[in-house]
PDB file of all heavy atoms in Angstrom:
ATOM      1  N   GLU A 220     -88.028 -76.533  23.542  1.00 38.00           N
ATOM      2  CA  GLU A 220     -87.905 -77.255  24.731  1.00 38.00           C
ATOM      3  C   GLU A 220     -89.089 -76.857  25.603  1.00 38.00           C
ATOM      4  O   GLU A 220     -89.528 -75.760  25.741  1.00 38.00           O
ATOM      5  CB  GLU A 220     -86.575 -76.924  25.442  1.00 38.00           C
ATOM      6  CG  GLU A 220     -85.284 -77.300  24.623  1.00 38.00           C
ATOM      7  CD  GLU A 220     -83.998 -76.855  25.177  1.00 38.00           C
ATOM      8  OE1 GLU A 220     -84.078 -75.886  25.913  1.00 38.00           O
ATOM      9  OE2 GLU A 220     -83.017 -77.394  24.855  1.00 38.00           O
ATOM     10  N   ILE A 221     -89.614 -77.813  26.311  1.00 39.00           N
ATOM     11  CA  ILE A 221     -90.659 -77.710  27.267  1.00 39.00           C
ATOM     12  C   ILE A 221     -90.228 -78.175  28.704  1.00 39.00           C
ATOM     13  O   ILE A 221     -89.533 -79.210  28.736  1.00 39.00           O
ATOM     14  CB  ILE A 221     -91.926 -78.486  26.809  1.00 39.00           C
ATOM     15  CG1 ILE A 221     -92.262 -78.007  25.431  1.00 39.00           C
ATOM     16  CG2 ILE A 221     -93.075 -78.428  27.772  1.00 39.00           C
ATOM     17  CD1 ILE A 221     -93.427 -78.775  24.834  1.00 39.00           C
ATOM     18  N   GLU A 222     -90.603 -77.535  29.684  1.00 46.00           N
ATOM     19  CA  GLU A 222     -90.166 -77.898  31.054  1.00 46.00           C
ATOM     20  C   GLU A 222     -90.621 -79.338  31.411  1.00 46.00           C
ATOM     21  O   GLU A 222     -91.728 -79.672  31.296  1.00 46.00           O
ATOM     22  CB  GLU A 222     -90.753 -76.837  32.041  1.00 46.00           C
ATOM     23  CG  GLU A 222     -90.164 -75.538  31.865  1.00 46.00           C
ATOM     24  CD  GLU A 222     -90.586 -74.584  32.961  1.00 46.00           C
ATOM     25  OE1 GLU A 222     -91.429 -74.994  33.788  1.00 46.00           O
ATOM     26  OE2 GLU A 222     -90.182 -73.423  32.973  1.00 46.00           O
ATOM     27  N   LEU A 223     -89.648 -80.015  31.965  1.00 47.00           N
ATOM     28  CA  LEU A 223     -89.882 -81.421  32.391  1.00 47.00           C
ATOM     29  C   LEU A 223     -90.921 -81.500  33.470  1.00 47.00           C
ATOM     30  O   LEU A 223     -91.963 -82.168  33.303  1.00 47.00           O
ATOM     31  CB  LEU A 223     -88.583 -82.140  32.818  1.00 47.00           C
ATOM     32  CG  LEU A 223     -88.705 -83.428  33.446  1.00 47.00           C
ATOM     33  CD1 LEU A 223     -89.317 -84.466  32.558  1.00 47.00           C
ATOM     34  CD2 LEU A 223     -87.339 -83.906  34.031  1.00 47.00           C
ATOM     35  N   PHE A 224     -90.768 -80.801  34.496  1.00 47.00           N
ATOM     36  CA  PHE A 224     -91.671 -80.901  35.592  1.00 47.00           C
ATOM     37  C   PHE A 224     -92.959 -80.302  35.253  1.00 47.00           C
ATOM     38  O   PHE A 224     -94.042 -80.685  35.742  1.00 47.00           O
ATOM     39  CB  PHE A 224     -91.117 -80.327  36.921  1.00 47.00           C
ATOM     40  CG  PHE A 224     -90.985 -78.777  36.923  1.00 47.00           C
ATOM     41  CD1 PHE A 224     -91.996 -77.956  37.470  1.00 47.00           C
ATOM     42  CD2 PHE A 224     -89.830 -78.158  36.475  1.00 47.00           C
ATOM     43  CE1 PHE A 224     -91.940 -76.604  37.484  1.00 47.00           C
ATOM     44  CE2 PHE A 224     -89.690 -76.741  36.527  1.00 47.00           C
ATOM     45  CZ  PHE A 224     -90.768 -75.942  37.008  1.00 47.00           C
ATOM     46  N   THR A 225     -92.995 -79.227  34.307  1.00 50.00           N
ATOM     47  CA  THR A 225     -94.294 -78.674  33.904  1.00 50.00           C
ATOM     48  C   THR A 225     -94.967 -79.653  33.094  1.00 50.00           C
ATOM     49  O   THR A 225     -96.266 -79.770  33.170  1.00 50.00           O
ATOM     50  CB  THR A 225     -94.033 -77.359  33.107  1.00 50.00           C
ATOM     51  OG1 THR A 225     -93.319 -76.382  33.947  1.00 50.00           O
ATOM     52  CG2 THR A 225     -95.295 -76.701  32.635  1.00 50.00           C
ATOM     53  N   LYS A 226     -94.329 -80.376  32.243  1.00 51.00           N
ATOM     54  CA  LYS A 226     -94.861 -81.376  31.337  1.00 51.00           C
ATOM     55  C   LYS A 226     -95.548 -82.507  32.182  1.00 51.00           C
ATOM     56  O   LYS A 226     -96.707 -82.842  31.986  1.00 51.00           O
ATOM     57  CB  LYS A 226     -93.785 -82.031  30.480  1.00 51.00           C
ATOM     58  CG  LYS A 226     -94.428 -82.778  29.286  1.00 51.00           C
ATOM     59  CD  LYS A 226     -94.942 -81.803  28.219  1.00 51.00           C
ATOM     60  CE  LYS A 226     -95.294 -82.477  26.964  1.00 51.00           C
ATOM     61  NZ  LYS A 226     -95.912 -81.676  26.043  1.00 51.00           N
ATOM     62  N   VAL A 227     -94.768 -82.990  33.248  1.00 52.00           N
ATOM     63  CA  VAL A 227     -95.396 -84.001  34.116  1.00 52.00           C
ATOM     64  C   VAL A 227     -96.554 -83.434  34.859  1.00 52.00           C
ATOM     65  O   VAL A 227     -97.596 -84.030  34.992  1.00 52.00           O
ATOM     66  CB  VAL A 227     -94.284 -84.530  35.089  1.00 52.00           C
ATOM     67  CG1 VAL A 227     -94.927 -85.500  36.028  1.00 52.00           C
ATOM     68  CG2 VAL A 227     -93.168 -85.140  34.356  1.00 52.00           C
ATOM     69  N   ASN A 228     -96.419 -82.172  35.348  1.00 54.00           N
ATOM     70  CA  ASN A 228     -97.431 -81.514  36.130  1.00 54.00           C
ATOM     71  C   ASN A 228     -98.649 -81.316  35.334  1.00 54.00           C
ATOM     72  O   ASN A 228     -99.746 -81.396  35.806  1.00 54.00           O
ATOM     73  CB  ASN A 228     -96.839 -80.185  36.665  1.00 54.00           C
ATOM     74  CG  ASN A 228     -97.605 -79.773  37.957  1.00 54.00           C
ATOM     75  OD1 ASN A 228     -98.006 -80.614  38.713  1.00 54.00           O
ATOM     76  ND2 ASN A 228     -97.706 -78.460  38.154  1.00 54.00           N
ATOM     77  N   GLU A 229     -98.504 -80.879  34.019  1.00 56.00           N
ATOM     78  CA  GLU A 229     -99.688 -80.554  33.214  1.00 56.00           C
ATOM     79  C   GLU A 229    -100.430 -81.852  32.940  1.00 56.00           C
ATOM     80  O   GLU A 229    -101.635 -81.900  32.806  1.00 56.00           O
ATOM     81  CB  GLU A 229     -99.211 -79.973  31.870  1.00 56.00           C
ATOM     82  CG  GLU A 229     -98.743 -78.543  31.960  1.00 56.00           C
ATOM     83  CD  GLU A 229     -99.872 -77.542  32.345  1.00 56.00           C
ATOM     84  OE1 GLU A 229    -101.066 -77.850  31.817  1.00 56.00           O
ATOM     85  OE2 GLU A 229     -99.688 -76.691  33.088  1.00 56.00           O
ATOM     86  N   THR A 230     -99.656 -82.921  32.805  1.00 54.00           N
ATOM     87  CA  THR A 230    -100.288 -84.310  32.563  1.00 54.00           C
ATOM     88  C   THR A 230    -101.143 -84.792  33.726  1.00 54.00           C
ATOM     89  O   THR A 230    -102.190 -85.367  33.464  1.00 54.00           O
ATOM     90  CB  THR A 230     -99.193 -85.328  32.154  1.00 54.00           C
ATOM     91  OG1 THR A 230     -98.466 -84.822  31.055  1.00 54.00           O
ATOM     92  CG2 THR A 230     -99.881 -86.676  31.762  1.00 54.00           C
ATOM     93  N   PHE A 231    -100.686 -84.635  34.939  1.00 60.00           N
ATOM     94  CA  PHE A 231    -101.319 -85.189  36.081  1.00 60.00           C
ATOM     95  C   PHE A 231    -101.936 -84.226  37.056  1.00 60.00           C
ATOM     96  O   PHE A 231    -102.456 -84.610  37.973  1.00 60.00           O
ATOM     97  CB  PHE A 231    -100.239 -86.050  36.852  1.00 60.00           C
ATOM     98  CG  PHE A 231     -99.702 -87.189  36.138  1.00 60.00           C
ATOM     99  CD1 PHE A 231     -98.538 -87.161  35.402  1.00 60.00           C
ATOM    100  CD2 PHE A 231    -100.452 -88.427  36.150  1.00 60.00           C
ATOM    101  CE1 PHE A 231     -98.064 -88.264  34.764  1.00 60.00           C
ATOM    102  CE2 PHE A 231     -99.951 -89.534  35.595  1.00 60.00           C
ATOM    103  CZ  PHE A 231     -98.747 -89.414  34.749  1.00 60.00           C
ATOM    104  N   LYS A 232    -101.935 -82.929  36.696  1.00 62.00           N
ATOM    105  CA  LYS A 232    -102.462 -81.906  37.686  1.00 62.00           C
ATOM    106  C   LYS A 232    -103.940 -82.126  38.033  1.00 62.00           C
ATOM    107  O   LYS A 232    -104.377 -81.971  39.187  1.00 62.00           O
ATOM    108  CB  LYS A 232    -102.168 -80.464  37.263  1.00 62.00           C
ATOM    109  CG  LYS A 232    -102.965 -80.022  35.979  1.00 62.00           C
ATOM    110  CD  LYS A 232    -102.618 -78.630  35.565  1.00 62.00           C
ATOM    111  CE  LYS A 232    -103.477 -78.156  34.404  1.00 62.00           C
ATOM    112  NZ  LYS A 232    -103.175 -76.819  34.083  1.00 62.00           N
ATOM    113  N   ALA A 233    -104.805 -82.456  36.989  1.00 66.00           N
ATOM    114  CA  ALA A 233    -106.228 -82.581  37.229  1.00 66.00           C
ATOM    115  C   ALA A 233    -106.515 -83.777  38.154  1.00 66.00           C
ATOM    116  O   ALA A 233    -107.316 -83.643  39.036  1.00 66.00           O
ATOM    117  CB  ALA A 233    -106.909 -82.695  35.899  1.00 66.00           C
ATOM    118  N   VAL A 234    -105.756 -84.860  37.908  1.00 69.00           N
ATOM    119  CA  VAL A 234    -105.891 -86.099  38.693  1.00 69.00           C
ATOM    120  C   VAL A 234    -105.447 -85.831  40.133  1.00 69.00           C
ATOM    121  O   VAL A 234    -106.002 -86.272  41.051  1.00 69.00           O
ATOM    122  CB  VAL A 234    -105.164 -87.284  38.030  1.00 69.00           C
ATOM    123  CG1 VAL A 234    -105.066 -88.463  39.037  1.00 69.00           C
ATOM    124  CG2 VAL A 234    -105.762 -87.668  36.768  1.00 69.00           C
ATOM    125  N   ALA A 235    -104.284 -85.089  40.223  1.00 69.00           N
ATOM    126  CA  ALA A 235    -103.794 -84.842  41.584  1.00 69.00           C
ATOM    127  C   ALA A 235    -104.770 -84.030  42.401  1.00 69.00           C
ATOM    128  O   ALA A 235    -104.945 -84.202  43.578  1.00 69.00           O
ATOM    129  CB  ALA A 235    -102.377 -84.084  41.498  1.00 69.00           C
ATOM    130  N   CYS A 236    -105.401 -82.911  41.775  1.00 71.00           N
ATOM    131  CA  CYS A 236    -106.367 -82.112  42.457  1.00 71.00           C
ATOM    132  C   CYS A 236    -107.575 -82.943  42.906  1.00 71.00           C
ATOM    133  O   CYS A 236    -107.998 -82.906  44.029  1.00 71.00           O
ATOM    134  CB  CYS A 236    -106.809 -81.030  41.457  1.00 71.00           C
ATOM    135  SG  CYS A 236    -108.011 -79.934  42.201  1.00 71.00           S
ATOM    136  N   THR A 237    -108.084 -83.823  41.972  1.00 74.00           N
ATOM    137  CA  THR A 237    -109.129 -84.754  42.250  1.00 74.00           C
ATOM    138  C   THR A 237    -108.907 -85.643  43.389  1.00 74.00           C
ATOM    139  O   THR A 237    -109.692 -85.897  44.327  1.00 74.00           O
ATOM    140  CB  THR A 237    -109.549 -85.532  41.018  1.00 74.00           C
ATOM    141  OG1 THR A 237    -109.887 -84.661  39.908  1.00 74.00           O
ATOM    142  CG2 THR A 237    -110.832 -86.317  41.279  1.00 74.00           C
ATOM    143  N   GLN A 238    -107.635 -86.202  43.344  1.00 74.00           N
ATOM    144  CA  GLN A 238    -107.185 -87.053  44.400  1.00 74.00           C
ATOM    145  C   GLN A 238    -107.158 -86.382  45.791  1.00 74.00           C
ATOM    146  O   GLN A 238    -107.517 -87.005  46.732  1.00 74.00           O
ATOM    147  CB  GLN A 238    -105.796 -87.632  44.069  1.00 74.00           C
ATOM    148  CG  GLN A 238    -105.334 -88.720  44.986  1.00 74.00           C
ATOM    149  CD  GLN A 238    -106.158 -89.957  44.886  1.00 74.00           C
ATOM    150  OE1 GLN A 238    -106.275 -90.601  43.863  1.00 74.00           O
ATOM    151  NE2 GLN A 238    -106.897 -90.391  46.023  1.00 74.00           N
ATOM    152  N   PHE A 239    -106.686 -85.186  45.819  1.00 74.00           N
ATOM    153  CA  PHE A 239    -106.679 -84.411  47.119  1.00 74.00           C
ATOM    154  C   PHE A 239    -108.088 -84.212  47.647  1.00 74.00           C
ATOM    155  O   PHE A 239    -108.326 -84.547  48.825  1.00 74.00           O
ATOM    156  CB  PHE A 239    -105.983 -83.073  46.854  1.00 74.00           C
ATOM    157  CG  PHE A 239    -104.539 -83.028  47.195  1.00 74.00           C
ATOM    158  CD1 PHE A 239    -103.549 -83.196  46.175  1.00 74.00           C
ATOM    159  CD2 PHE A 239    -104.101 -82.820  48.469  1.00 74.00           C
ATOM    160  CE1 PHE A 239    -102.275 -83.175  46.486  1.00 74.00           C
ATOM    161  CE2 PHE A 239    -102.741 -82.717  48.830  1.00 74.00           C
ATOM    162  CZ  PHE A 239    -101.826 -82.942  47.792  1.00 74.00           C
ATOM    163  N   LEU A 240    -109.018 -83.845  46.854  1.00 74.00           N
ATOM    164  CA  LEU A 240    -110.339 -83.673  47.216  1.00 74.00           C
ATOM    165  C   LEU A 240    -110.984 -84.954  47.629  1.00 74.00           C
ATOM    166  O   LEU A 240    -111.693 -84.991  48.713  1.00 74.00           O
ATOM    167  CB  LEU A 240    -111.161 -83.005  46.180  1.00 74.00           C
ATOM    168  CG  LEU A 240    -110.737 -81.593  45.714  1.00 74.00           C
ATOM    169  CD1 LEU A 240    -111.546 -81.141  44.500  1.00 74.00           C
ATOM    170  CD2 LEU A 240    -110.890 -80.618  46.906  1.00 74.00           C
ATOM    171  N   VAL A 241    -110.826 -86.006  46.905  1.00 77.00           N
ATOM    172  CA  VAL A 241    -111.399 -87.304  47.211  1.00 77.00           C
ATOM    173  C   VAL A 241    -110.836 -87.904  48.492  1.00 77.00           C
ATOM    174  O   VAL A 241    -111.539 -88.382  49.311  1.00 77.00           O
ATOM    175  CB  VAL A 241    -111.270 -88.341  46.090  1.00 77.00           C
ATOM    176  CG1 VAL A 241    -111.578 -89.738  46.464  1.00 77.00           C
ATOM    177  CG2 VAL A 241    -112.108 -87.896  44.891  1.00 77.00           C
ATOM    178  N   SER A 242    -109.530 -87.808  48.591  1.00 74.00           N
ATOM    179  CA  SER A 242    -108.902 -88.316  49.935  1.00 74.00           C
ATOM    180  C   SER A 242    -109.376 -87.637  51.151  1.00 74.00           C
ATOM    181  O   SER A 242    -109.686 -88.163  52.128  1.00 74.00           O
ATOM    182  CB  SER A 242    -107.390 -88.203  49.738  1.00 74.00           C
ATOM    183  OG  SER A 242    -106.956 -88.896  48.695  1.00 74.00           O
ATOM    184  N   THR A 243    -109.526 -86.354  50.959  1.00 73.00           N
ATOM    185  CA  THR A 243    -110.031 -85.448  52.170  1.00 73.00           C
ATOM    186  C   THR A 243    -111.470 -85.949  52.522  1.00 73.00           C
ATOM    187  O   THR A 243    -111.798 -86.193  53.681  1.00 73.00           O
ATOM    188  CB  THR A 243    -110.084 -84.009  51.867  1.00 73.00           C
ATOM    189  OG1 THR A 243    -108.690 -83.593  51.468  1.00 73.00           O
ATOM    190  CG2 THR A 243    -110.538 -83.173  53.019  1.00 73.00           C
ATOM    191  N   SER A 244    -112.307 -86.150  51.485  1.00 75.00           N
ATOM    192  CA  SER A 244    -113.706 -86.537  51.768  1.00 75.00           C
ATOM    193  C   SER A 244    -113.769 -87.970  52.250  1.00 75.00           C
ATOM    194  O   SER A 244    -114.545 -88.206  53.282  1.00 75.00           O
ATOM    195  CB  SER A 244    -114.563 -86.410  50.455  1.00 75.00           C
ATOM    196  OG  SER A 244    -114.477 -85.145  49.916  1.00 75.00           O
ATOM    197  N   VAL A 245    -113.053 -88.852  51.718  1.00 76.00           N
ATOM    198  CA  VAL A 245    -113.100 -90.243  52.140  1.00 76.00           C
ATOM    199  C   VAL A 245    -112.643 -90.394  53.624  1.00 76.00           C
ATOM    200  O   VAL A 245    -113.262 -91.130  54.329  1.00 76.00           O
ATOM    201  CB  VAL A 245    -112.220 -91.179  51.178  1.00 76.00           C
ATOM    202  CG1 VAL A 245    -112.053 -92.613  51.810  1.00 76.00           C
ATOM    203  CG2 VAL A 245    -112.919 -91.270  49.819  1.00 76.00           C
ATOM    204  N   VAL A 246    -111.570 -89.746  53.961  1.00 75.00           N
ATOM    205  CA  VAL A 246    -111.047 -89.857  55.365  1.00 75.00           C
ATOM    206  C   VAL A 246    -112.108 -89.276  56.251  1.00 75.00           C
ATOM    207  O   VAL A 246    -112.301 -89.825  57.404  1.00 75.00           O
ATOM    208  CB  VAL A 246    -109.682 -89.087  55.466  1.00 75.00           C
ATOM    209  CG1 VAL A 246    -109.300 -89.005  56.962  1.00 75.00           C
ATOM    210  CG2 VAL A 246    -108.671 -89.792  54.688  1.00 75.00           C
ATOM    211  N   CYS A 247    -112.695 -88.198  55.825  1.00 75.00           N
ATOM    212  CA  CYS A 247    -113.818 -87.581  56.636  1.00 75.00           C
ATOM    213  C   CYS A 247    -114.993 -88.524  56.891  1.00 75.00           C
ATOM    214  O   CYS A 247    -115.410 -88.784  58.041  1.00 75.00           O
ATOM    215  CB  CYS A 247    -114.306 -86.319  56.079  1.00 75.00           C
ATOM    216  SG  CYS A 247    -115.850 -85.661  56.714  1.00 75.00           S
ATOM    217  N   PHE A 248    -115.470 -89.171  55.827  1.00 72.00           N
ATOM    218  CA  PHE A 248    -116.610 -90.084  55.893  1.00 72.00           C
ATOM    219  C   PHE A 248    -116.187 -91.349  56.682  1.00 72.00           C
ATOM    220  O   PHE A 248    -117.021 -91.898  57.408  1.00 72.00           O
ATOM    221  CB  PHE A 248    -117.153 -90.458  54.538  1.00 72.00           C
ATOM    222  CG  PHE A 248    -117.844 -89.308  53.916  1.00 72.00           C
ATOM    223  CD1 PHE A 248    -117.463 -88.828  52.592  1.00 72.00           C
ATOM    224  CD2 PHE A 248    -118.922 -88.632  54.472  1.00 72.00           C
ATOM    225  CE1 PHE A 248    -118.046 -87.762  52.048  1.00 72.00           C
ATOM    226  CE2 PHE A 248    -119.607 -87.600  53.830  1.00 72.00           C
ATOM    227  CZ  PHE A 248    -119.164 -87.097  52.672  1.00 72.00           C
ATOM    228  N   ASN A 249    -114.943 -91.796  56.552  1.00 73.00           N
ATOM    229  CA  ASN A 249    -114.465 -92.995  57.300  1.00 73.00           C
ATOM    230  C   ASN A 249    -114.460 -92.728  58.790  1.00 73.00           C
ATOM    231  O   ASN A 249    -114.869 -93.511  59.638  1.00 73.00           O
ATOM    232  CB  ASN A 249    -113.165 -93.488  56.731  1.00 73.00           C
ATOM    233  CG  ASN A 249    -113.269 -94.306  55.487  1.00 73.00           C
ATOM    234  OD1 ASN A 249    -114.382 -94.646  55.096  1.00 73.00           O
ATOM    235  ND2 ASN A 249    -112.230 -94.625  54.885  1.00 73.00           N
ATOM    236  N   LEU A 250    -114.002 -91.540  59.104  1.00 72.00           N
ATOM    237  CA  LEU A 250    -113.994 -91.144  60.530  1.00 72.00           C
ATOM    238  C   LEU A 250    -115.359 -91.151  61.162  1.00 72.00           C
ATOM    239  O   LEU A 250    -115.648 -91.618  62.204  1.00 72.00           O
ATOM    240  CB  LEU A 250    -113.361 -89.807  60.693  1.00 72.00           C
ATOM    241  CG  LEU A 250    -111.764 -89.693  60.784  1.00 72.00           C
ATOM    242  CD1 LEU A 250    -111.320 -88.284  60.791  1.00 72.00           C
ATOM    243  CD2 LEU A 250    -111.343 -90.403  62.090  1.00 72.00           C
ATOM    244  N   TYR A 251    -116.320 -90.608  60.279  1.00 70.00           N
ATOM    245  CA  TYR A 251    -117.661 -90.540  60.708  1.00 70.00           C
ATOM    246  C   TYR A 251    -118.271 -91.866  60.948  1.00 70.00           C
ATOM    247  O   TYR A 251    -118.947 -92.195  61.958  1.00 70.00           O
ATOM    248  CB  TYR A 251    -118.565 -89.729  59.748  1.00 70.00           C
ATOM    249  CG  TYR A 251    -119.978 -89.714  60.047  1.00 70.00           C
ATOM    250  CD1 TYR A 251    -120.402 -88.702  61.031  1.00 70.00           C
ATOM    251  CD2 TYR A 251    -120.919 -90.601  59.474  1.00 70.00           C
ATOM    252  CE1 TYR A 251    -121.820 -88.663  61.287  1.00 70.00           C
ATOM    253  CE2 TYR A 251    -122.260 -90.498  59.796  1.00 70.00           C
ATOM    254  CZ  TYR A 251    -122.629 -89.612  60.716  1.00 70.00           C
ATOM    255  OH  TYR A 251    -124.102 -89.494  61.023  1.00 70.00           O
ATOM    256  N   GLN A 252    -118.031 -92.835  60.001  1.00 70.00           N
ATOM    257  CA  GLN A 252    -118.536 -94.128  60.136  1.00 70.00           C
ATOM    258  C   GLN A 252    -117.987 -94.868  61.381  1.00 70.00           C
ATOM    259  O   GLN A 252    -118.699 -95.567  62.080  1.00 70.00           O
ATOM    260  CB  GLN A 252    -118.290 -94.935  58.924  1.00 70.00           C
ATOM    261  CG  GLN A 252    -119.115 -94.601  57.663  1.00 70.00           C
ATOM    262  CD  GLN A 252    -118.876 -95.522  56.541  1.00 70.00           C
ATOM    263  OE1 GLN A 252    -117.833 -95.807  56.157  1.00 70.00           O
ATOM    264  NE2 GLN A 252    -120.016 -96.008  56.029  1.00 70.00           N
ATOM    265  N   MET A 253    -116.632 -94.698  61.572  1.00 69.00           N
ATOM    266  CA  MET A 253    -115.964 -95.491  62.665  1.00 69.00           C
ATOM    267  C   MET A 253    -116.467 -95.032  64.027  1.00 69.00           C
ATOM    268  O   MET A 253    -116.472 -95.724  64.991  1.00 69.00           O
ATOM    269  CB  MET A 253    -114.515 -95.433  62.525  1.00 69.00           C
ATOM    270  CG  MET A 253    -113.994 -96.311  61.414  1.00 69.00           C
ATOM    271  SD  MET A 253    -112.249 -96.300  61.386  1.00 69.00           S
ATOM    272  CE  MET A 253    -111.763 -94.734  60.801  1.00 69.00           C
ATOM    273  N   THR A 254    -116.844 -93.684  64.152  1.00 69.00           N
ATOM    274  CA  THR A 254    -117.117 -93.111  65.429  1.00 69.00           C
ATOM    275  C   THR A 254    -118.588 -92.989  65.699  1.00 69.00           C
ATOM    276  O   THR A 254    -118.975 -93.022  66.925  1.00 69.00           O
ATOM    277  CB  THR A 254    -116.438 -91.667  65.607  1.00 69.00           C
ATOM    278  OG1 THR A 254    -116.982 -90.842  64.517  1.00 69.00           O
ATOM    279  CG2 THR A 254    -114.987 -91.800  65.470  1.00 69.00           C
ATOM    280  N   GLN A 255    -119.390 -92.921  64.772  1.00 63.00           N
ATOM    281  CA  GLN A 255    -120.846 -92.692  64.935  1.00 63.00           C
ATOM    282  C   GLN A 255    -121.639 -93.956  64.780  1.00 63.00           C
ATOM    283  O   GLN A 255    -122.839 -93.932  65.129  1.00 63.00           O
ATOM    284  CB  GLN A 255    -121.319 -91.659  63.928  1.00 63.00           C
ATOM    285  CG  GLN A 255    -120.606 -90.277  64.101  1.00 63.00           C
ATOM    286  CD  GLN A 255    -120.880 -89.654  65.467  1.00 63.00           C
ATOM    287  OE1 GLN A 255    -122.062 -89.667  65.920  1.00 63.00           O
ATOM    288  NE2 GLN A 255    -119.859 -89.185  66.095  1.00 63.00           N
ATOM    289  N   ARG A 256    -121.129 -94.949  64.228  1.00 60.00           N
ATOM    290  CA  ARG A 256    -121.955 -96.109  63.888  1.00 60.00           C
ATOM    291  C   ARG A 256    -121.281 -97.473  64.308  1.00 60.00           C
ATOM    292  O   ARG A 256    -120.074 -97.510  64.414  1.00 60.00           O
ATOM    293  CB  ARG A 256    -122.180 -96.200  62.329  1.00 60.00           C
ATOM    294  CG  ARG A 256    -122.882 -94.964  61.838  1.00 60.00           C
ATOM    295  CD  ARG A 256    -123.055 -95.066  60.343  1.00 60.00           C
ATOM    296  NE  ARG A 256    -123.841 -96.224  59.962  1.00 60.00           N
ATOM    297  CZ  ARG A 256    -123.886 -96.801  58.715  1.00 60.00           C
ATOM    298  NH1 ARG A 256    -123.177 -96.151  57.782  1.00 60.00           N
ATOM    299  NH2 ARG A 256    -124.626 -97.717  58.486  1.00 60.00           N
ATOM    300  N   ASP A 257    -122.067 -98.456  64.564  1.00 61.00           N
ATOM    301  CA  ASP A 257    -121.595 -99.822  64.833  1.00 61.00           C
ATOM    302  C   ASP A 257    -121.353-100.593  63.492  1.00 61.00           C
ATOM    303  O   ASP A 257    -122.400-101.027  62.894  1.00 61.00           O
ATOM    304  CB  ASP A 257    -122.570-100.552  65.753  1.00 61.00           C
ATOM    305  CG  ASP A 257    -122.072-101.935  66.120  1.00 61.00           C
ATOM    306  OD1 ASP A 257    -120.878-102.234  65.968  1.00 61.00           O
ATOM    307  OD2 ASP A 257    -122.878-102.798  66.591  1.00 61.00           O
TER     308      ASP A 257
END
């Protein structure tokens, strides 16, 4: 038997980590664009 949540977590953990980093960066750059540029 293999843990259900571990199995799901192992399948998607790399994508989840990448998504966290990308979302942080995108929100940061969007804030910069909206406040610093026309």
